[in-house]
Amino acid sequence: MICASLIIVPNYSKTFYGFEYEDSFINSAVAIDDNLPNSIYKFRTRPYQEKERGHLEGNGFFTGHYATYASYLWLIRKSFSINSAHQIHKLGNSILIAITLLTCFFISVERKKNLVLLSIFISLCTLPVGYILNSGLKENLSFCIGLIAVVASLKKDKNITLLFILILILTLVKRENLVYLALPFIVIGKDKWSHIKFITPILFILLTQIFVNPFYTEVLESNSIGQNTFSFDFLSYQGPIFVLSLFHYSGFILVTFLIFLVKVSKKSFMIFGIWASMILIYSAHYRSPFTIVTKEIQIFDTYRYLVNSIPLFIAGIFHGEVRPIFNSWYTKGLIYSCGIVSLIYSLNSINTYMEEEEYNYHSPSLLVLNDYKNNTVLDVYPLISMLDFYGSNSIGVGLLDSVTLKSNKNREVLVLNRFDSKPIVDWINKRDTLVKLNAPYLYLLRPKK
């Protein structure tokens, strides 16, 4: 619990969502909408892209992400009346990890309790998990529910109902979590497969998938990139980086080496097989249009996906036979010492991430809040502006495009061309001009005299 607190609490007041623009910001953008159904379409997130006088409006955009985590954040905001958008997911994630740790402690079998706690501790000490817990990514909910599910699988007979409920939630958070459906078939004996307690929840989970239709997202993504979302080409350059991340000091090396604490059993071998299939799916699936062009990804690009797979990996460890070396005080001391060193490294790296996001994403918003409180902001990434100006009723937000820039304006308009990613000079009317302001990527659209 102390470890989890160190990851989140010191950074609670800092504005940080995570660097994956759409995925990190979209859940919070849904959470700030007072009318939740407005920002959900076919069980997917679809927040509005405009804000006027404190109200969200316009056409919904960026659909495709399951709305479970976003709905959870909406509930957190309404329950605690949070006025800063970036603190919604910080509080929500703190509650999630606290519930997870307490639940895992109380439901784990006594003979495996030390292994369970050690594995979770090591996971929390890694940089990727620390990054995820500070972000607005839905992997937070998936990771926490996954941990409880794999601990519950150790008492499969006593916790069979709980296990199926958790798997149901997992499949409604991320579509790739459908691989968890294989877990009950491994940990629960074949003699129970024909029982109603086993068949009924399996059928119900499958029926919910008919309702949410996971293939709908694939169609959207395929149309967006103009090709199939799975490819051996993606696997060829992404797969090696996923493997490297498992052994890299900034990735999951400590978690990976937990496997040497146990003898792999038949059950654990099959669970590792499920985990490996999830990694294969991730490696063969496109990460972004940018990576398709460059044909490369960085270790950082593997973080959120491997974090989502960690519960299954340590499930394989839980179902193995503990080696005698694990009971040595020297071994435990060495592992905990490595964990503490990794935690210190992670906290320092996360702080660097936050400083970088503050400068590149949020510092222009501070200038607007201080000097341009009654203007309209046209942003190439309007989700960020809507969250930064969540508490302001006087600042309008719109999508930066050639249509809005060419229309007539009765007052000065601020243009936020984040990362200078759009050729905005070609979009403006001849009677207007752009004036660069003293903040990254921020301009003033002003009529020529």
Side-chain angles (χ1 to χ4, degrees):
M1 192 72 78
I2 294 175
C3 178
S5 298
L6 285 174
I7 295 172
I8 302 177
V9 174
N11 304 311
Y12 184 76
S13 61
K14 297 180 181 179
T15 305
F16 184 77
Y17 295 89
F19 292 115
E20 293 92 341
Y21 162 66
E22 177 189 333
D23 293 355
S24 297
F25 292 82
I26 197 167
N27 295 303
S28 297
V30 172
I32 64 173
D33 189 351
D34 286 331
N35 191 346
L36 181 64
N38 284 345
S39 292
I40 296 177
Y41 176 74
K42 292 187 177 180
F43 195 67
R44 271 77 172 175
T45 54
R46 193 176 68 169
Y48 289 143
Q49 63 182 11
E50 297 177 6
K51 177 175 179 287
E52 186 65 33
R53 298 185 184 278
H55 298 289
L56 302 181
E57 53 187 41
N59 297 318
F61 67 148
F62 288 144
T63 188
H65 302 271
Y66 284 180
T68 311
Y69 179 61
S71 300
Y72 166 73
L73 294 185
W74 180 87
L75 183 63
I76 291 294
R77 181 183 70 84
K78 298 294 284 187
S79 299
F80 295 92
S81 301
I82 301 174
N83 296 317
S84 297
H86 67 274
Q87 291 181 357
I88 300 173
H89 66 270
K90 294 289 184 71
L91 178 58
N93 295 344
S94 298
I95 293 173
L96 274 177
I97 196 64
I99 293 174
T100 299
L101 294 177
L102 290 172
T103 304
C104 289
F105 178 80
F106 286 111
I107 70 172
S108 60
V109 294
E110 196 62 37
R111 60 186 176 84
K112 293 287 182 78
K113 193 178 290 288
N114 287 335
L115 182 61
V116 168
L117 296 179
L118 175 67
S119 300
I120 294 177
F121 167 75
I122 289 298
S123 299
L124 292 176
C125 287
T126 61
L127 171 59
V129 173
Y131 161 73
I132 291 298
L133 289 176
N134 278 280
S135 77
L137 292 163
K138 59 186 174 183
E139 279 73 14
N140 286 290
L141 181 58
S142 186
F143 173 73
C144 290
I145 299 298
L147 284 180
I148 300 174
V150 300
V151 174
S153 71
L154 291 171
K155 287 184 179 178
K156 59 276 187 182
D157 296 327
K158 183 178 180 180
N159 294 324
I160 185 171
T161 301
L162 174 62
L163 178 60
F164 278 119
I165 291 174
L166 294 170
I167 292 176
L168 171 63
I169 297 173
L170 283 167
T171 60
L172 296 178
V173 175
K174 291 176 69 68
R175 59 190 186 276
E176 57 267 35
N177 286 342
L178 280 167
V179 298
Y180 275 92
L181 272 174
L183 187 60
F185 289 94
I186 296 174
V187 300
I188 298 174
K190 291 183 179 179
D191 58 314
K192 303 288 180 64
W193 291 3
S194 58
H195 290 193
I196 191 168
K197 283 188 176 181
F198 190 94
I199 296 176
T200 302
I202 290 288
L203 291 177
F204 182 75
I205 291 173
L206 294 176
L207 285 173
T208 62
Q209 292 306 302
I210 295 175
F211 169 73
V212 302
N213 186 11
F215 304 107
Y216 173 74
T217 301
E218 290 304 314
V219 172
L220 291 176
E221 292 178 341
S222 180
N223 292 337
S224 174
I225 64 175
Q227 65 180 88
N228 199 305
T229 58
F230 289 91
S231 167
F232 284 111
D233 184 40
F234 302 153
L235 179 64
S236 66
Y237 61 84
Q238 293 179 163
I241 305 301
F242 272 87
V243 174
L244 177 61
S245 185
L246 294 171
F247 297 94
H248 199 271
Y249 69 90
S250 67
F252 298 88
I253 185 169
L254 290 183
V255 178
T256 302
F257 274 88
L258 287 175
I259 197 172
F260 293 107
L261 298 179
V262 299
K263 294 179 181 179
V264 177
S265 65
K266 182 180 179 180
K267 283 184 179 180
S268 60
F269 180 79
M270 289 189 288
I271 293 173
F272 282 130
I274 302 174
W275 169 77
S277 69
M278 181 180 271
I279 302 303
L280 184 64
I281 291 171
Y282 280 137
S283 300
H285 192 265
Y286 95 102
R287 298 277 64 88
S288 71
F290 176 77
T291 62
I292 294 177
V293 174
T294 61
K295 292 188 179 300
E296 63 178 22
I297 62 171
Q298 305 300 318
I299 286 180
F300 176 85
D301 299 318
T302 70
Y303 282 179
R304 55 182 294 199
Y305 307 103
L306 286 177
V307 166
N308 192 57
S309 76
I310 288 301
L312 274 176
F313 180 84
I314 63 177
I317 295 172
F318 292 167
H319 286 274
E321 182 183 345
V322 179
R323 295 180 184 274
I325 192 175
F326 175 70
N327 297 318
S328 166
W329 66 267
Y330 176 80
T331 301
K332 291 181 180 179
L334 179 61
I335 294 174
Y336 278 108
S337 297
C338 290
I340 292 172
V341 172
S342 178
L343 178 61
I344 294 172
Y345 167 77
S346 300
L347 293 174
N348 181 65
S349 299
I350 292 169
N351 189 61
T352 301
Y353 287 159
M354 290 184 173
E355 290 176 354
E356 184 178 342
E357 182 177 305
E358 178 64 35
Y359 177 78
N360 286 308
Y361 288 64
H362 309 295
S363 59
S365 301
L366 294 177
L367 178 64
V368 175
L369 286 169
N370 291 333
D371 301 330
Y372 300 91
K373 295 182 179 179
N374 297 305
N375 286 69
T376 295
V377 176
L378 300 180
D379 192 341
V380 69
Y381 299 124
L383 283 181
I384 301 177
S385 283
M386 286 197 292
L387 294 172
D388 282 346
F389 305 132
Y390 167 54
S392 172
N393 293 330
S394 60
I395 298 175
V397 176
L399 174 66
L400 171 61
D401 58 24
S402 59
V403 176
T404 53
L405 278 178
K406 287 180 179 178
S407 61
N408 294 321
K409 298 291 187 303
N410 296 322
R411 60 178 180 177
E412 292 180 332
V413 174
L414 294 162
V415 174
L416 234 176
N417 187 26
R418 298 182 189 275
F419 311 108
D420 291 325
S421 58
K422 301 291 183 179
I424 56 175
V425 175
D426 299 333
W427 290 355
I428 61 175
N429 289 310
K430 293 182 179 180
R431 58 181 176 273
D432 294 329
T433 185
L434 286 172
V435 179
K436 182 73 175 68
L437 299 178
N438 188 28
Y441 320 121
L442 188 60
Y443 303 81
L444 192 64
L445 183 64
R446 178 180 292 170
K448 292 179 180 178
K449 295 182 179 178

